Amino acid sequence: MPVLVASDLDRTLIYSAAALALTMPDARAPRLLCVEVHESKPLSYLTETAAGLLADLGDAAVFVPTTTRTRKQYQRINLPGPAPTYAICANGGHLLVDGVSDADWHARVQARLADECAPLAEIRDHLMASADPAWVRKHRVAEDLFAYLVVERELLPEDWVKELAVWAENRGWTVSLQGRKIYAVPKPLTKSAAMREVARRTGAELTLAAGDSLLDADLLLAADRSWRPGHGELADAGWAAPTITALPERGVLAGERILREFLKATRTPTP
């Protein structure tokens, strides 16, 4: 039976220049491979070693990129190895099969959101009214599924995100702060549900996952074995569970370690 590997991308496998955390002397820094260009500028990287590991993983398992990115944002990424048959975008709102969104899956997600949580328009209106233009740089809606803000972190009031989270909780939404982005996402919109659907379709009996943020928590709990890096929301909160391994590595070297763990677990699965 195939092994399914569902991994978050940003700050888990791939890293912006600001998130690399290259704390070693320059002469010992790893060689990097750019895997995303946006507006003619390099944007995301992994180490060359990680690139080789990812190519090996694509041959050994069903590798499923699993991201909160929109489809357009995901399709900018050019990962090493065989092109994944499946990819999960928009936090589970879109399940791509050979690059095309599965219409039935998307319709099921939309129906559940309509039944279980406040409408996106209400959330967006609240963000527009309560977020101070002094520290908000952009208001965005992703795939008509969720909203996010791009902010200046040094100007962001310490309690604002906590207050937003309480307000959103009562309406069936989750709030997550990741770098310069504040996400408001409907609770039923989950990476884990989409991962389970891919596992059903592929017949995978072992599922592996990795992620760094609050929006990855459900994915990590749903998998048989999971890993989180030493940075990010989950690490900052000391978040743990019996099937989840907290790694000490931070930055781009954490991505390399996660890929080694995936390959080891794929080649020697525990009974």
Side-chain angles (χ1 to χ4, degrees):
M1 292 293 181
V3 175
L4 188 154
V5 176
S7 182
D8 176 50
L9 297 177
D10 294 280
R11 293 170 60 89
T12 298
L13 293 188
I14 67 174
Y15 291 80
S16 68
L20 290 170
L22 298 176
T23 57
M24 69 291 290
D26 290 349
R28 293 176 53 201
R31 288 172 56 127
L32 300 173
L33 175 69
C34 178
V35 293
E36 180 185 13
V37 174
H38 181 48
E39 296 178 347
S40 302
K41 296 178 181 178
L43 198 62
S44 297
Y45 305 84
L46 41 63
T47 69
E48 284 192 351
T49 299
L53 295 169
L54 185 54
D56 290 345
L57 184 66
D59 291 329
V62 179
F63 173 63
V64 184
T66 305
T67 180
T68 304
R69 287 181 178 230
T70 65
R71 289 169 290 172
K72 184 177 180 180
Q73 291 167 337
Y74 165 69
Q75 287 163 348
R76 294 198 305 247
I77 301 171
N78 184 17
L79 293 173
T85 300
Y86 295 98
I88 295 166
C89 293
N91 216 63
H94 285 283
L95 175 57
L96 305 191
V97 184
D98 294 323
V100 178
S101 182
D102 185 300
D104 288 342
W105 174 258
H106 185 58
R108 283 161 55 190
V109 170
Q110 288 182 307
R112 189 173 175 198
L113 299 189
D115 287 344
E116 297 183 23
C117 49
L120 173 62
E122 179 181 343
I123 307 303
R124 188 182 186 193
D125 288 348
H126 181 79
L127 291 174
M128 294 291 290
S130 64
D132 190 335
W135 44 263
V136 173
R137 294 295 169 259
K138 297 176 185 176
H139 287 262
R140 291 288 184 266
V141 169
E143 303 269 23
D144 290 323
L145 291 168
F146 62 91
Y148 65 93
L149 305 176
V150 181
V151 303
E152 297 290 349
R153 279 293 293 270
E154 64 274 13
L155 300 178
L156 179 66
E158 185 176 340
D159 292 335
W160 190 85
V161 176
K162 295 178 182 177
E163 292 168 1
L164 176 65
V166 172
W167 181 89
E169 171 79 22
N170 295 329
R171 288 158 179 81
W173 286 65
T174 295
V175 171
S176 174
L177 175 61
Q178 301 179 40
R180 296 176 60 237
K181 293 181 180 179
I182 302 171
Y183 290 92
V185 178
K187 286 186 180 179
L189 187 67
T190 65
K191 295 177 178 180
S192 59
M195 182 196 72
R196 289 188 184 99
E197 176 65 12
V198 177
R200 184 189 68 81
R201 296 186 187 192
T202 59
E205 290 196 347
L206 176 66
T207 54
L208 310 175
D212 70 296
S213 81
L214 181 63
L215 294 176
D216 298 313
D218 67 283
L219 175 71
L220 272 56
L221 290 170
D224 295 309
R225 295 183 64 191
S226 299
W227 292 262
R228 66 161 174 83
H231 61 258
E233 277 185 315
L234 299 180
D236 290 346
W239 188 82
T243 58
I244 296 166
T245 300
L247 300 174
E249 289 87 353
R250 300 170 59 88
V252 72
L253 293 183
E256 191 175 298
R257 172 70 184 276
I258 286 166
L259 287 165
R260 292 186 194 279
E261 296 295 333
F262 281 155
L263 272 170
K264 184 164 64 174
T266 297
R267 291 167 173 165
T268 56
T270 54

